[in-house]
Amino acid sequence: MASPETTRVYNFSAGPAVLPEPVLLEAQRDLFSYPGAGMSVLEMSHRGKHYDAIHQAAKDNLKKLMGVPDNYRILFLQGGASLQFSMVPMNFLPADGTADYIVTGSWSKKAVKEAKRVGKVNIAATCEETNFDRLPTAISLTPGAAYVHFTSNETIHGVEWPTEPDSGGAPLVCDMSSDILSRPVDVSKYGLIYAGAQKNMGPAGVTVVIIREDLLEKVPEGLHSMLDYKLQAENDSLYNTPPCFAIYIVGLVVKYVQAEGGLQAMFERNRRKASVLYKVIDESGGFYRGHAQPDCRSLMNVTFRMATEDLEKQFITEAAAAGFAGLKGHRSVGGLRASIYNAFPAKGCDDLAQFMVDFQRKS
């Protein structure tokens, strides 16, 4: 848990979330004066050569890491995934069309709410009747749908798709905010991927969008400039001042993942980390009760409950005193949640697992 400068807690927050220590230390070292620039990234012009090199390297390295095909564009936008809930239908849901949405948790439900402001939405599947503890067994797609939208990992309920659903030939759109870069993904299966960076890629402030170029030709005329994917792509995400420092950190995170062995190595590490915690839950005899069904448990967000809210509060208090921060579940559902993104250390999962065993033993 120790860095060269100070002691750090184990940060289980769902987002903004833990960042790799090497990334933080490099950013700290270069914060005052970026090499060759004589100024901080926080100060430099987004039109200057130093920032341009940062911007292009972040895109190029992300493309290489994820295996993004040449017929896709990578955009750095603002407004988080929540703005994408509106931008996707505004750009791709025509007045006479229908968009299919698969609802597996709070975030996909919010995406539906915004899409309905724009046009017709078909709920192709929902698991709300079981409090979002599983993935749907049947999906009812609309013939000729404008697109099919799903959320790959629901941070609040801890449900994750092990692979993408069949879109029936329609463009597949994915909110990948909380598990992007955690495993290999075949980008060619998607029409559009979007991800708020603050969970697994970088700090809050930048949203990564990966979009197939042919879809840009479907963007209608007359959209507000900042909400127009085509305009943003034509301007290389530089129509206005981008979140330069956040993009700089994303670039550092991408290099970190590459240095750690790439996405397959991340996937194997993440499976091991999650299995340590799920093992304690499964072997607790019901003292800890996992929310998601075993076949769709998230590798990023381990959600669980205990017998009473008072016991959960005691757990959170004692865990915080022991150096485990951010274990309180989302305010909308309560309970407990351990978010263990790429940058979260394996030792932290081992130590939390032991804490959970000890807490149960003395309770």
Side-chain angles (χ1 to χ4, degrees):
M1 295 175 64
S3 76
E5 298 297 330
T6 187
T7 299
R8 287 165 56 83
V9 299
Y10 286 132
N11 179 10
F12 291 94
S13 296
V18 62
L19 286 165
E21 287 194 8
V23 167
L24 293 173
L25 292 171
E26 182 172 349
Q28 179 189 54
R29 186 184 68 235
D30 295 341
L31 181 63
F32 183 71
S33 182
Y34 185 78
M39 66 182 80
S40 173
V41 178
L42 292 167
E43 302 171 300
M44 62 179 59
S45 169
H46 64 292
R47 306 292 183 191
K49 67 177 184 178
H50 295 292
Y51 177 72
D52 182 65
I54 290 170
H55 192 91
Q56 300 307 322
K59 284 197 311 176
D60 293 345
N61 288 332
L62 180 59
K63 178 180 179 179
K64 183 184 299 183
L65 178 65
M66 292 188 66
V68 177
D70 290 339
N71 62 324
Y72 284 73
R73 299 292 299 273
I74 296 175
L75 308 178
F76 296 124
L77 305 182
Q78 301 174 59
S82 294
L83 183 57
Q84 296 303 306
F85 296 164
S86 297
M87 281 188 72
V88 168
M90 290 174 70
N91 281 261
F92 301 126
L93 178 52
D96 59 351
T98 300
D100 286 343
Y101 278 71
I102 302 170
V103 181
T104 52
S106 295
W107 294 112
S108 46
K109 194 174 176 182
K110 289 185 177 183
V112 167
K113 179 181 177 181
E114 299 306 316
K116 284 183 174 179
R117 301 179 191 273
V118 178
K120 185 177 179 181
V121 170
N122 169 52
I123 305 300
T126 179
C127 299
E128 189 166 12
E129 68 278 2
T130 61
N131 192 24
F132 299 122
D133 69 342
R134 66 194 65 199
L135 295 175
T137 55
I139 300 174
S140 179
L141 298 175
T142 303
Y147 59 85
V148 177
H149 179 284
F150 80 108
T151 303
S152 57
N153 182 71
E154 292 279 1
T155 59
I156 293 177
H157 293 90
V159 171
E160 184 174 24
W161 289 80
T163 186
E164 54 279 319
D166 181 8
S167 66
L172 186 61
V173 175
C174 182
D175 175 1
M176 208 175 283
S177 294
S178 53
D179 64 351
I180 194 169
L181 303 191
S182 70
R183 57 182 177 175
V185 170
D186 185 352
V187 176
S188 68
K189 293 182 178 180
Y190 295 81
L192 184 149
I193 292 169
Y194 63 89
Q198 69 273 13
K199 298 180 184 296
N200 213 30
M201 295 185 77
V206 62
T207 305
V208 173
V209 174
I210 304 172
I211 183 169
R212 205 173 64 217
E213 287 181 339
D214 66 287
L215 293 179
L216 295 173
E217 301 308 314
K218 297 183 178 182
V219 175
E221 298 291 333
L223 286 179
H224 292 274
S225 299
M226 290 298 293
L227 304 177
D228 186 322
Y229 285 128
K230 188 175 183 180
L231 182 65
Q232 293 289 350
E234 289 171 349
N235 286 273
D236 195 19
S237 309
L238 294 163
Y239 179 78
N240 73 324
T241 306
C244 300
F245 191 76
I247 294 168
Y248 158 71
I249 297 293
V250 168
L252 295 185
V253 170
V254 169
K255 289 198 297 183
Y256 162 82
V257 175
Q258 290 172 325
E260 290 294 304
L263 298 184
Q264 185 60 38
M266 287 294 108
F267 181 46
E268 292 166 3
R269 182 185 302 179
N270 289 328
R271 281 196 299 187
R272 188 263 170 190
K273 290 190 304 185
S275 68
V276 169
L277 299 180
Y278 286 125
K279 184 174 186 290
V280 173
I281 292 170
D282 291 341
E283 295 179 357
S284 70
F287 185 82
Y288 302 109
R289 305 191 307 272
H291 179 74
Q293 297 296 313
D295 63 344
C296 60
R297 284 171 164 171
S298 173
L299 300 185
M300 300 285 97
N301 312 98
V302 179
T303 55
F304 57 102
R305 298 301 303 254
M306 299 170 72
T308 67
E309 291 188 4
D310 286 342
L311 191 60
E312 291 171 348
K313 290 177 181 178
Q314 181 185 347
F315 180 95
I316 291 168
T317 298
E318 293 187 16
F324 303 104
L327 286 168
K328 185 177 181 180
H330 192 271
R331 63 186 181 276
S332 65
V333 297
L336 301 123
R337 172 175 57 177
S339 296
I340 49 175
Y341 301 115
N342 282 355
F344 192 86
K347 189 175 185 302
C349 291
D350 295 337
D351 289 354
L352 177 61
Q354 186 60 55
F355 176 86
M356 292 169 69
V357 170
D358 294 342
F359 185 87
Q360 179 179 0
R361 186 179 296 126
K362 70 182 182 61
S363 296

mmCIF file of all heavy atoms in Angstrom, residues 257-280:
data_model
loop_
_atom_site.group_PDB
_atom_site.id
_atom_site.type_symbol
_atom_site.label_atom_id
_atom_site.label_comp_id
_atom_site.label_asym_id
_atom_site.label_seq_id
_atom_site.Cartn_x
_atom_site.Cartn_y
_atom_site.Cartn_z
ATOM 1 N N VAL A 257 -1.168 -0.016 -19.257
ATOM 2 C CA VAL A 257 -1.785 -1.306 -19.573
ATOM 3 C C VAL A 257 -0.942 -2.068 -20.586
ATOM 4 O O VAL A 257 -0.748 -3.286 -20.468
ATOM 5 C CB VAL A 257 -3.234 -1.120 -20.087
ATOM 6 C CG1 VAL A 257 -3.831 -2.449 -20.535
ATOM 7 C CG2 VAL A 257 -4.108 -0.510 -18.995
ATOM 8 N N GLN A 258 -0.422 -1.362 -21.588
ATOM 9 C CA GLN A 258 0.470 -2.008 -22.555
ATOM 10 C C GLN A 258 1.687 -2.601 -21.869
ATOM 11 O O GLN A 258 2.082 -3.748 -22.137
ATOM 12 C CB GLN A 258 0.902 -0.987 -23.611
ATOM 13 C CG GLN A 258 -0.197 -0.558 -24.576
ATOM 14 C CD GLN A 258 0.230 0.599 -25.468
ATOM 15 O OE1 GLN A 258 0.984 1.485 -25.043
ATOM 16 N NE2 GLN A 258 -0.251 0.613 -26.697
ATOM 17 N N ALA A 259 2.277 -1.844 -20.955
ATOM 18 C CA ALA A 259 3.482 -2.302 -20.261
ATOM 19 C C ALA A 259 3.203 -3.480 -19.339
ATOM 20 O O ALA A 259 4.098 -4.293 -19.072
ATOM 21 C CB ALA A 259 4.082 -1.142 -19.460
ATOM 22 N N GLU A 260 1.964 -3.596 -18.863
ATOM 23 C CA GLU A 260 1.588 -4.680 -17.956
ATOM 24 C C GLU A 260 1.194 -5.965 -18.699
ATOM 25 O O GLU A 260 0.790 -6.935 -18.073
ATOM 26 C CB GLU A 260 0.436 -4.224 -17.060
ATOM 27 C CG GLU A 260 0.826 -3.175 -16.034
ATOM 28 C CD GLU A 260 1.797 -3.710 -15.000
ATOM 29 O OE1 GLU A 260 1.480 -4.713 -14.346
ATOM 30 O OE2 GLU A 260 2.900 -3.121 -14.856
ATOM 31 N N GLY A 261 1.283 -5.954 -20.023
ATOM 32 C CA GLY A 261 0.991 -7.154 -20.787
ATOM 33 C C GLY A 261 -0.229 -7.078 -21.672
ATOM 34 O O GLY A 261 -0.582 -8.058 -22.334
ATOM 35 N N GLY A 262 -0.922 -5.940 -21.660
ATOM 36 C CA GLY A 262 -2.076 -5.772 -22.538
ATOM 37 C C GLY A 262 -3.377 -6.252 -21.929
ATOM 38 O O GLY A 262 -3.468 -6.583 -20.738
ATOM 39 N N LEU A 263 -4.412 -6.313 -22.747
ATOM 40 C CA LEU A 263 -5.764 -6.576 -22.255
ATOM 41 C C LEU A 263 -5.968 -8.009 -21.779
ATOM 42 O O LEU A 263 -6.717 -8.245 -20.831
ATOM 43 C CB LEU A 263 -6.784 -6.236 -23.348
ATOM 44 C CG LEU A 263 -6.795 -4.768 -23.794
ATOM 45 C CD1 LEU A 263 -7.904 -4.526 -24.803
ATOM 46 C CD2 LEU A 263 -6.949 -3.830 -22.598
ATOM 47 N N GLN A 264 -5.323 -8.972 -22.404
ATOM 48 C CA GLN A 264 -5.476 -10.349 -21.933
ATOM 49 C C GLN A 264 -4.866 -10.510 -20.543
ATOM 50 O O GLN A 264 -5.443 -11.177 -19.674
ATOM 51 C CB GLN A 264 -4.826 -11.331 -22.910
ATOM 52 C CG GLN A 264 -5.041 -12.810 -22.561
ATOM 53 C CD GLN A 264 -6.503 -13.210 -22.532
ATOM 54 O OE1 GLN A 264 -7.312 -12.752 -23.343
ATOM 55 N NE2 GLN A 264 -6.868 -14.067 -21.578
ATOM 56 N N ALA A 265 -3.730 -9.886 -20.329
ATOM 57 C CA ALA A 265 -3.111 -9.934 -19.003
ATOM 58 C C ALA A 265 -3.996 -9.257 -17.963
ATOM 59 O O ALA A 265 -4.138 -9.744 -16.830
ATOM 60 C CB ALA A 265 -1.735 -9.272 -19.040
ATOM 61 N N MET A 266 -4.619 -8.133 -18.337
ATOM 62 C CA MET A 266 -5.543 -7.454 -17.425
ATOM 63 C C MET A 266 -6.726 -8.357 -17.083
ATOM 64 O O MET A 266 -7.158 -8.435 -15.934
ATOM 65 C CB MET A 266 -6.061 -6.166 -18.068
ATOM 66 C CG MET A 266 -5.062 -5.041 -18.143
ATOM 67 S SD MET A 266 -4.564 -4.377 -16.540
ATOM 68 C CE MET A 266 -2.889 -5.009 -16.458
ATOM 69 N N PHE A 267 -7.253 -9.028 -18.103
ATOM 70 C CA PHE A 267 -8.400 -9.909 -17.907
ATOM 71 C C PHE A 267 -8.073 -11.021 -16.923
ATOM 72 O O PHE A 267 -8.843 -11.308 -15.991
ATOM 73 C CB PHE A 267 -8.832 -10.485 -19.250
ATOM 74 C CG PHE A 267 -10.032 -11.392 -19.182
ATOM 75 C CD1 PHE A 267 -11.154 -11.042 -18.461
ATOM 76 C CD2 PHE A 267 -10.040 -12.592 -19.872
ATOM 77 C CE1 PHE A 267 -12.272 -11.880 -18.407
ATOM 78 C CE2 PHE A 267 -11.135 -13.438 -19.826
ATOM 79 C CZ PHE A 267 -12.250 -13.075 -19.089
ATOM 80 N N GLU A 268 -6.937 -11.665 -17.102
ATOM 81 C CA GLU A 268 -6.551 -12.758 -16.215
ATOM 82 C C GLU A 268 -6.343 -12.250 -14.791
ATOM 83 O O GLU A 268 -6.739 -12.900 -13.811
ATOM 84 C CB GLU A 268 -5.294 -13.434 -16.751
ATOM 85 C CG GLU A 268 -5.538 -14.179 -18.062
ATOM 86 C CD GLU A 268 -4.274 -14.574 -18.784
ATOM 87 O OE1 GLU A 268 -3.171 -14.313 -18.237
ATOM 88 O OE2 GLU A 268 -4.364 -15.130 -19.899
ATOM 89 N N ARG A 269 -5.734 -11.091 -14.669
ATOM 90 C CA ARG A 269 -5.532 -10.503 -13.339
ATOM 91 C C ARG A 269 -6.865 -10.143 -12.692
ATOM 92 O O ARG A 269 -7.075 -10.393 -11.496
ATOM 93 C CB ARG A 269 -4.658 -9.250 -13.466
ATOM 94 C CG ARG A 269 -4.332 -8.571 -12.155
ATOM 95 C CD ARG A 269 -3.581 -7.276 -12.373
ATOM 96 N NE ARG A 269 -2.339 -7.461 -13.103
ATOM 97 C CZ ARG A 269 -1.512 -6.452 -13.423
ATOM 98 N NH1 ARG A 269 -1.829 -5.210 -13.085
ATOM 99 N NH2 ARG A 269 -0.402 -6.693 -14.074
ATOM 100 N N ASN A 270 -7.770 -9.568 -13.473
ATOM 101 C CA ASN A 270 -9.062 -9.160 -12.929
ATOM 102 C C ASN A 270 -9.902 -10.360 -12.499
ATOM 103 O O ASN A 270 -10.611 -10.307 -11.488
ATOM 104 C CB ASN A 270 -9.819 -8.317 -13.956
ATOM 105 C CG ASN A 270 -9.196 -6.945 -14.148
ATOM 106 O OD1 ASN A 270 -8.632 -6.378 -13.223
ATOM 107 N ND2 ASN A 270 -9.289 -6.410 -15.354
ATOM 108 N N ARG A 271 -9.840 -11.442 -13.265
ATOM 109 C CA ARG A 271 -10.582 -12.656 -12.872
ATOM 110 C C ARG A 271 -10.077 -13.192 -11.542
ATOM 111 O O ARG A 271 -10.869 -13.611 -10.688
ATOM 112 C CB ARG A 271 -10.445 -13.737 -13.959
ATOM 113 C CG ARG A 271 -11.349 -13.524 -15.142
ATOM 114 C CD ARG A 271 -11.473 -14.768 -15.991
ATOM 115 N NE ARG A 271 -10.185 -15.189 -16.543
ATOM 116 C CZ ARG A 271 -10.049 -16.167 -17.431
ATOM 117 N NH1 ARG A 271 -11.109 -16.834 -17.855
ATOM 118 N NH2 ARG A 271 -8.865 -16.497 -17.909
ATOM 119 N N ARG A 272 -8.766 -13.175 -11.377
ATOM 120 C CA ARG A 272 -8.197 -13.689 -10.136
ATOM 121 C C ARG A 272 -8.599 -12.810 -8.949
ATOM 122 O O ARG A 272 -8.989 -13.304 -7.886
ATOM 123 C CB ARG A 272 -6.670 -13.756 -10.266
ATOM 124 C CG ARG A 272 -5.983 -14.452 -9.094
ATOM 125 C CD ARG A 272 -5.465 -13.453 -8.089
ATOM 126 N NE ARG A 272 -5.005 -14.085 -6.860
ATOM 127 C CZ ARG A 272 -4.686 -13.416 -5.772
ATOM 128 N NH1 ARG A 272 -4.781 -12.099 -5.739
ATOM 129 N NH2 ARG A 272 -4.273 -14.050 -4.694
ATOM 130 N N LYS A 273 -8.530 -11.482 -9.124
ATOM 131 C CA LYS A 273 -8.887 -10.565 -8.039
ATOM 132 C C LYS A 273 -10.336 -10.756 -7.611
ATOM 133 O O LYS A 273 -10.644 -10.844 -6.415
ATOM 134 C CB LYS A 273 -8.671 -9.117 -8.486
ATOM 135 C CG LYS A 273 -7.212 -8.725 -8.654
ATOM 136 C CD LYS A 273 -7.033 -7.224 -8.850
ATOM 137 C CE LYS A 273 -7.808 -6.674 -10.007
ATOM 138 N NZ LYS A 273 -7.528 -5.251 -10.260
ATOM 139 N N ALA A 274 -11.236 -10.814 -8.596
ATOM 140 C CA ALA A 274 -12.657 -10.965 -8.274
ATOM 141 C C ALA A 274 -12.947 -12.310 -7.614
ATOM 142 O O ALA A 274 -13.752 -12.401 -6.679
ATOM 143 C CB ALA A 274 -13.494 -10.805 -9.539
ATOM 144 N N SER A 275 -12.285 -13.363 -8.083
ATOM 145 C CA SER A 275 -12.558 -14.705 -7.545
ATOM 146 C C SER A 275 -12.224 -14.796 -6.061
ATOM 147 O O SER A 275 -12.879 -15.530 -5.309
ATOM 148 C CB SER A 275 -11.780 -15.763 -8.325
ATOM 149 O OG SER A 275 -10.384 -15.656 -8.097
ATOM 150 N N VAL A 276 -11.225 -14.044 -5.620
ATOM 151 C CA VAL A 276 -10.843 -14.044 -4.205
ATOM 152 C C VAL A 276 -12.005 -13.549 -3.336
ATOM 153 O O VAL A 276 -12.305 -14.122 -2.284
ATOM 154 C CB VAL A 276 -9.586 -13.172 -3.992
ATOM 155 C CG1 VAL A 276 -9.331 -12.927 -2.516
ATOM 156 C CG2 VAL A 276 -8.373 -13.829 -4.636
ATOM 157 N N LEU A 277 -12.667 -12.490 -3.794
ATOM 158 C CA LEU A 277 -13.770 -11.929 -3.018
ATOM 159 C C LEU A 277 -15.038 -12.766 -3.135
ATOM 160 O O LEU A 277 -15.741 -12.999 -2.144
ATOM 161 C CB LEU A 277 -14.037 -10.494 -3.468
ATOM 162 C CG LEU A 277 -12.878 -9.515 -3.280
ATOM 163 C CD1 LEU A 277 -13.265 -8.128 -3.751
ATOM 164 C CD2 LEU A 277 -12.429 -9.477 -1.825
ATOM 165 N N TYR A 278 -15.334 -13.239 -4.340
ATOM 166 C CA TYR A 278 -16.535 -14.067 -4.500
ATOM 167 C C TYR A 278 -16.416 -15.381 -3.727
ATOM 168 O O TYR A 278 -17.412 -15.919 -3.241
ATOM 169 C CB TYR A 278 -16.802 -14.328 -5.983
ATOM 170 C CG TYR A 278 -17.347 -13.128 -6.715
ATOM 171 C CD1 TYR A 278 -16.715 -12.631 -7.861
ATOM 172 C CD2 TYR A 278 -18.500 -12.479 -6.279
ATOM 173 C CE1 TYR A 278 -17.210 -11.529 -8.543
ATOM 174 C CE2 TYR A 278 -19.002 -11.374 -6.950
ATOM 175 C CZ TYR A 278 -18.352 -10.909 -8.075
ATOM 176 O OH TYR A 278 -18.852 -9.802 -8.748
ATOM 177 N N LYS A 279 -15.210 -15.888 -3.576
ATOM 178 C CA LYS A 279 -15.007 -17.119 -2.809
ATOM 179 C C LYS A 279 -15.397 -16.913 -1.349
ATOM 180 O O LYS A 279 -16.073 -17.772 -0.745
ATOM 181 C CB LYS A 279 -13.548 -17.565 -2.917
ATOM 182 C CG LYS A 279 -13.231 -18.898 -2.225
ATOM 183 C CD LYS A 279 -11.784 -19.303 -2.519
ATOM 184 C CE LYS A 279 -11.474 -20.705 -1.980
ATOM 185 N NZ LYS A 279 -11.437 -20.723 -0.508
ATOM 186 N N VAL A 280 -15.008 -15.785 -0.781
ATOM 187 C CA VAL A 280 -15.387 -15.493 0.605
ATOM 188 C C VAL A 280 -16.899 -15.377 0.729
ATOM 189 O O VAL A 280 -17.502 -15.914 1.676
ATOM 190 C CB VAL A 280 -14.708 -14.200 1.086
ATOM 191 C CG1 VAL A 280 -15.229 -13.798 2.471
ATOM 192 C CG2 VAL A 280 -13.202 -14.374 1.132
#
